[in-house]
């Protein structure tokens, strides 16, 4: 049985407001300066975060563009201490295998300046984790499968929106990607058509939190862009 889709209901572009060139530059510079302050941290305070803040950040992520507007993502928010402990145990098991031989030497050399290892205490210390799932395919009301399009691209854009929204709200985050991550389907009770792609650690930086100095040195514009 093939799945059919209703045509979209169209409307005039709402809420768009054209800015003057000076206003555009001012806003672009302000956003750059704001994101320049965003840093990945690995030491989190245990203070709780207002759920309403997280909900609005998730709503911001949900505004991201996606292939055929199918929005092939799910965000599982974990705050329960026992479940975070279970996630840490499963993640560290995979990490030990990674550092003990699964990772190529070149990869380990690239990680060495960051001082990372198989121990991931932040998975318990942070007030919440957001597991980002990519929906490999959809299931309609009758239980039939239908294809999703541009899933990695769509989920990647939504994740970027989410990280930016969390930063603007005053929260720190860490993208954690133990591999494989299939244990998250079980712990988060998500169906087989969803694949966990990123475990986002969210909260306040711990007082005195340290980050690598070289982590703040970004590639210059001429190395990350070209004008043709």
């Amino acid at each position: 049985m093939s799945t059919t889709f209703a045509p979209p209901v169209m409307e005039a572009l709402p809420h768009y407001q054209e800015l003057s060139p000076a206003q555009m530059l001012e806003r672009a510079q302000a956003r750059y300066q704001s994101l320049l302050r965003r840093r990945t941290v690995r030491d989190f305070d245990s203070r709780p975060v207002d759920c309403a803040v997280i909900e609005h950040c998730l709503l911001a992520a949900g505004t991201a563009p996606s292939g055929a507007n199918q929005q092939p993502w799910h965000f599982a928010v974990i705050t329960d201490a026992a479940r975070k402990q279970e996630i840490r145990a499963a993640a560290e098991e995979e990490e030990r295998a990674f550092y003990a031989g699964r990772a190529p030497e070149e990869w380990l050399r690239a990680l060495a300046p960051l001082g990372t290892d198989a121990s991931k205490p932040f998975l318990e210390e942070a007030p919440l984790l957001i597991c980002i799932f990519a929906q490999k395919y959809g299931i309609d009301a009758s239980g039939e499968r239908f294809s999703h399009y541009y899933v990695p691209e769509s989920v990647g854009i939504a994740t970027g929106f989410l990280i930016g929204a969390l930063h603007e709200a005053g929260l720190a985050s860490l993208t954690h990607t133990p591999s494989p991550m299939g244990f998250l389907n079980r712990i988060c009770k998500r169906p087989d058509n969803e694949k966990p792609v990123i475990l986002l650690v969210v909260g306040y930086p711990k007082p005195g939190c340290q980050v690598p100095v070289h982590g703040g040195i970004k590639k210059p514009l001429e190395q990350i862009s070209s004008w043709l």
Side-chain angles (χ1 to χ4, degrees), residues 192-216:
D192 291 340
N193 68 315
E194 295 184 356
K195 177 183 178 181
V197 292
I198 292 176
L199 188 57
L200 196 63
V201 187
V202 179
Y204 297 98
K206 186 177 291 185
C209 173
Q210 298 285 304
V211 296
V213 172
H214 67 79

Side-chain angles (χ1 to χ4, degrees), residues 17-215:
Q17 179 183 8
E18 186 169 330
L19 303 174
S20 70
Q23 289 173 314
M24 294 169 66
L25 180 58
E26 181 182 4
R27 290 196 181 191
Q29 290 173 331
R31 179 54 58 92
Y32 167 60
Q33 290 300 322
S34 174
L35 290 175
L36 195 60
R37 293 191 296 272
R38 191 210 66 79
R39 297 296 299 273
T40 294
V41 305
R42 291 178 170 81
D43 295 309
F44 287 85
D45 196 291
S46 60
R47 282 183 294 157
V49 174
D50 186 346
C51 291
V53 173
I54 300 302
E55 288 173 351
H56 279 82
C57 290
L58 294 173
L59 288 170
T63 68
S66 60
N69 194 31
Q70 291 177 325
Q71 304 164 52
W73 47 64
H74 182 86
F75 304 97
V77 183
I78 301 103
T79 59
D80 177 71
R83 194 157 294 182
K84 287 192 296 178
Q85 184 180 49
E86 187 178 4
I87 288 174
R88 178 184 178 182
E92 288 186 338
E93 182 177 352
E94 298 298 347
E95 293 286 356
R96 284 191 292 271
F98 172 85
Y99 282 96
R102 188 183 292 163
E105 283 299 320
E106 184 179 14
W107 194 346
L108 293 176
R109 285 196 300 271
L111 290 172
L114 297 174
T116 60
D117 56 29
S119 178
K120 308 299 177 184
F122 48 75
L123 293 175
E124 285 190 84
E125 294 170 348
L128 64 99
L129 311 174
I130 302 176
C131 185
I132 302 166
F133 289 87
Q135 295 177 340
K136 296 176 286 185
Y137 55 87
I139 302 175
D140 66 20
S142 65
E144 294 291 324
R145 292 188 182 189
F146 60 90
S147 297
H148 278 165
Y149 304 98
Y150 298 104
V151 173
E153 296 86 348
S154 301
V155 176
I157 295 169
T159 300
F161 275 35
L162 177 56
I163 292 172
L166 291 165
H167 169 69
E168 293 292 337
L171 294 170
S173 64
L174 164 69
T175 52
H176 181 50
T177 53
S179 180
M181 288 194 281
F183 61 87
L184 288 167
N185 285 78
R186 173 182 56 81
I187 296 174
C188 298
K189 300 181 180 179
R190 300 308 305 166
D192 291 340
N193 68 315
E194 295 184 356
K195 177 183 178 181
V197 292
I198 292 176
L199 188 57
L200 196 63
V201 187
V202 179
Y204 297 98
K206 186 177 291 185
C209 173
Q210 298 285 304
V211 296
V213 172
H214 67 79

